[in-house]
Amino acid sequence: MKPAKLGGGRSSVEAVLGFALGAVGGCILGATEIPVDRVLSELTAAGPLKPIMEEVSTVGPLGLGTLLGATALSAAMTSAVAGVILAAIVALLFVASRSCLPSHADSAGLWVSAGLAGALGATLSGATLGITIEWIVRTFGMVGLLCALSVFTVLKPLQYLVFKQLWVEGRCCTLGSTVWAGDREQNEISEAQQRQREAELMEQRILTLEKGGEDDGAELKSKWEAEHQQREERERKRREIEEAEMEQRTIQDWINTVVVKHVDFLAFSGIPMTVIAVVTSGFGLFGYGVHQSVFIVLLALVAVIAYLLMRSSDFKFWMLVGCMGMIATFVIAMLTLHAGQVVVSTAMKMRAAGQEQSRENVSARMNQQSSVEALNAAVFVSRLCQLSLGATVGGALVRRRLGEVKVIVGAASVAGGLLVGVEVLGTVLGEGGRAGALLGVVGAAGVSVGAAAAMAGGWSSWLGTLGTIAGLIIGALGVGRWHIVNIGLQVPAAYVFAMTNPF
């Protein structure tokens, strides 16, 4: 796969063009850093953090980490898939109604509408889930969040079966076939009428010759030429109909594949994370939240589930992301536990130095530090997940040869507009709603980053590849105020997922 030859194939032009487009993707990625950090600071403030701190002793630090991690990742995956499905539905309606003729691939209306729908769908879905999660935590605590996550995970496979049946049966995409059938029927009627006119001309000539009349060769020749031109015109129209219908069918098949894969991913990828969260939170509810046995069971569960998924003969994309999400949840739990142990170690050192502290004070600081670490890790991992899923879509669009410039610049523009909108509506959305909406914006930025990463791998020269990667990194670091650790983890993850083809 090679990017469009916008620079004539010369290495220097490829490097300059790659750097410019990479910088666009990097800049929009960096632009999301400050708003996400700001809303994270608000979430870890005393007020919003209090309901979580009160629940650390209920589910234990490991349970808190796995529960917040699984919830954040499930929300990120759900909002990303919601955006993809909404974009696919809009694109399918455009294609089925033939609103994007003469060429589906080059239609601005098709891809602009689909891109806007996808970005808005991901952002609105993320905001809704964020508000819902915040309300559940404030009202019912971690136990309520555990129940909600479990019910949500159980219902997703059922929704998957219903949606897949309706989608695969093609009940929502029959309009295009009906329209094409009408065009074919009209063309066949025209051909039949022409054959009748030609037969009448031939019959008229035969009758004229039989009656001994003079054959007007010039007039007859002109009529035959006119009929011949009409026949060629109808043949050309017939070929255009067949080619357009084939192109429409190809796009519909690809959209169907993307939707089925993403629904499959949404239904099953959250199961490993939820199992881990339920088991560790269950230990915490029964009073074993800080017992070493919880860590042993957690580690064993992660190893067994990962082994069973990875050794599957029919390995699928959801299994890969499910394993990664489960391992990320395990890491969040470890960080949460470690944060509390750091407080204990600090208190022991202070006691050895003669600075006595009450048990209540140490316990409160343990709960606070564990809660802050759990939220920080959960938000970062969910942001990384959202970015990676967006990069998967961006890479797939580039491989479909839909135009690197259109995908990179278009996705960056949409993400920038949504970023401004979320900032303006911040007071209405609240902390949870803003966090979820910003994750949706990160997904839209991920499309631009993924497209740039896929383009970097497709240049004909190393200068083009290096220029694109340099632009991506410099743009992300420069606009993101040199958050080297965060961006240093996000860019490689986006590159890996952009080069992955789950479809």
Side-chain angles (χ1 to χ4, degrees):
M1 188 275 296
K2 293 183 179 180
K5 295 181 179 179
L6 298 174
R10 293 179 301 176
S11 299
S12 58
V13 177
E14 287 183 354
V16 173
L17 180 60
F19 182 86
L21 292 176
V24 172
C27 287
I28 192 60
L29 173 61
T32 62
E33 284 291 309
I34 305 305
V36 172
D37 288 347
R38 188 183 303 122
V39 75
L40 183 58
S41 299
E42 295 175 2
L43 287 174
T44 53
L49 194 65
K50 184 178 180 181
I52 299 176
M53 290 174 55
E54 294 173 351
E55 296 293 321
V56 176
S57 58
T58 303
V59 296
L62 286 174
L64 177 68
T66 55
L67 188 54
L68 287 181
T71 303
L73 284 170
S74 296
M77 293 176 181
T78 302
S79 61
V81 175
V84 171
I85 292 176
L86 187 57
I89 291 175
V90 171
L92 200 63
L93 290 175
F94 257 84
V95 174
S97 62
R98 301 191 307 166
S99 298
C100 47
L101 287 179
S103 174
H104 297 298
D106 297 330
S107 172
L110 168 65
W111 301 113
V112 168
S113 301
L116 286 174
L120 285 173
T123 304
L124 293 177
S125 176
T128 303
L129 289 171
I131 293 172
T132 303
I133 293 170
E134 183 181 17
W135 177 78
I136 291 174
V137 171
R138 289 180 180 275
T139 307
F140 302 103
M142 289 295 115
V143 177
L145 185 60
L146 176 64
C147 295
L149 178 63
S150 303
V151 171
F152 184 61
T153 305
V154 171
L155 288 179
K156 284 193 293 185
L158 301 178
Q159 296 172 353
Y160 159 79
L161 295 175
V162 175
F163 184 88
K164 186 175 181 180
Q165 181 180 2
L166 294 175
W167 189 273
V168 173
E169 287 178 356
R171 297 177 182 176
C172 59
C173 56
T174 57
L175 177 60
S177 299
T178 303
V179 174
W180 290 122
D183 285 352
R184 285 195 301 270
E185 182 180 356
Q186 183 64 35
N187 200 46
E188 290 172 359
I189 292 174
S190 299
E191 289 180 355
Q193 291 175 349
Q194 182 183 18
R195 286 194 296 269
Q196 183 178 358
R197 289 195 302 269
E198 290 176 349
E200 290 175 354
L201 284 174
M202 183 63 69
E203 183 180 356
Q204 181 182 359
R205 182 182 181 188
I206 293 172
L207 291 176
T208 301
L209 293 174
E210 288 178 350
K211 292 179 180 180
E214 294 183 358
D215 183 13
D216 190 352
E219 181 180 357
L220 185 60
K221 183 178 180 181
S222 64
K223 290 182 179 180
W224 276 110
E225 288 179 351
E227 292 296 333
H228 180 69
Q229 291 177 357
Q230 292 180 8
R231 189 186 306 111
E232 289 183 344
E233 179 66 23
R234 274 189 290 273
E235 183 66 20
R236 183 187 61 81
K237 185 176 181 181
R238 183 185 63 80
R239 287 195 302 268
E240 287 180 353
I241 291 175
E242 291 177 353
E243 292 173 358
E245 187 175 11
M246 185 178 297
E247 184 181 6
Q248 180 196 54
R249 183 60 58 189
T250 300
I251 294 178
Q252 286 178 332
D253 290 342
W254 185 68
I255 292 174
N256 288 337
T257 301
V258 170
V259 171
V260 170
K261 292 289 185 180
H262 274 83
V263 174
D264 190 55
F265 160 75
L266 176 62
F268 304 111
S269 60
I271 294 177
M273 300 180 298
T274 305
V275 170
I276 297 298
V278 169
V279 171
T280 51
S281 299
F283 272 94
L285 290 174
F286 285 101
Y288 296 95
V290 293
H291 201 274
Q292 291 182 352
S293 60
V294 182
F295 173 75
I296 297 173
V297 172
L298 178 60
L299 184 60
L301 267 178
V302 170
V304 170
I305 294 175
Y307 173 74
L308 293 175
L309 291 177
M310 297 298 289
R311 72 183 297 270
S312 174
S313 58
D314 185 21
F315 191 75
K316 298 181 179 179
F317 181 63
W318 75 261
M319 296 180 181
L320 172 63
V321 181
C323 286
M324 296 177 69
M326 179 179 61
I327 295 173
T329 303
F330 174 78
V331 172
I332 294 172
M334 293 299 101
L335 292 174
T336 305
L337 180 63
H338 177 69
Q341 291 176 344
V342 169
V343 173
V344 174
S345 299
T346 303
M348 292 177 63
K349 292 178 181 178
M350 294 177 65
R351 180 177 297 178
Q355 301 179 9
E356 292 292 336
Q357 290 185 323
S358 65
R359 183 182 298 270
E360 291 77 10
N361 186 24
V362 173
S363 178
R365 288 199 295 116
M366 284 179 60
N367 293 344
Q368 180 187 20
Q369 195 62 30
S370 297
S371 302
V372 169
E373 192 63 38
L375 272 175
N376 282 330
V379 170
F380 176 77
V381 170
S382 60
R383 175 171 56 178
L384 194 64
C385 173
Q386 190 79 286
L387 177 70
S388 300
L389 294 176
T392 304
V393 175
L397 292 176
V398 169
R399 283 189 292 274
R400 289 288 300 181
R401 299 181 181 274
L402 300 180
E404 296 82 2
V405 177
K406 289 189 292 186
V407 177
I408 295 172
V409 178
S413 301
V414 172
L418 289 175
L419 193 61
V420 174
V422 172
E423 290 297 304
V424 171
L425 299 175
T427 55
V428 178
L429 296 174
E431 291 89 356
R434 281 182 62 201
L438 285 174
L439 287 179
V441 176
V442 171
V447 175
S448 182
V449 175
M455 183 183 68
W459 286 120
S460 60
S461 67
W462 278 105
L463 282 178
T465 300
L466 295 176
T468 306
I469 295 175
L472 188 60
I473 295 175
I474 293 174
L477 289 175
V479 179
R481 296 184 183 178
W482 299 94
H483 288 187
I484 297 176
V485 175
N486 287 352
I487 295 174
L489 291 173
Q490 292 178 59
V491 172
Y495 180 82
V496 170
F497 273 82
M499 303 308 291
T500 302
N501 185 15
F503 313 125

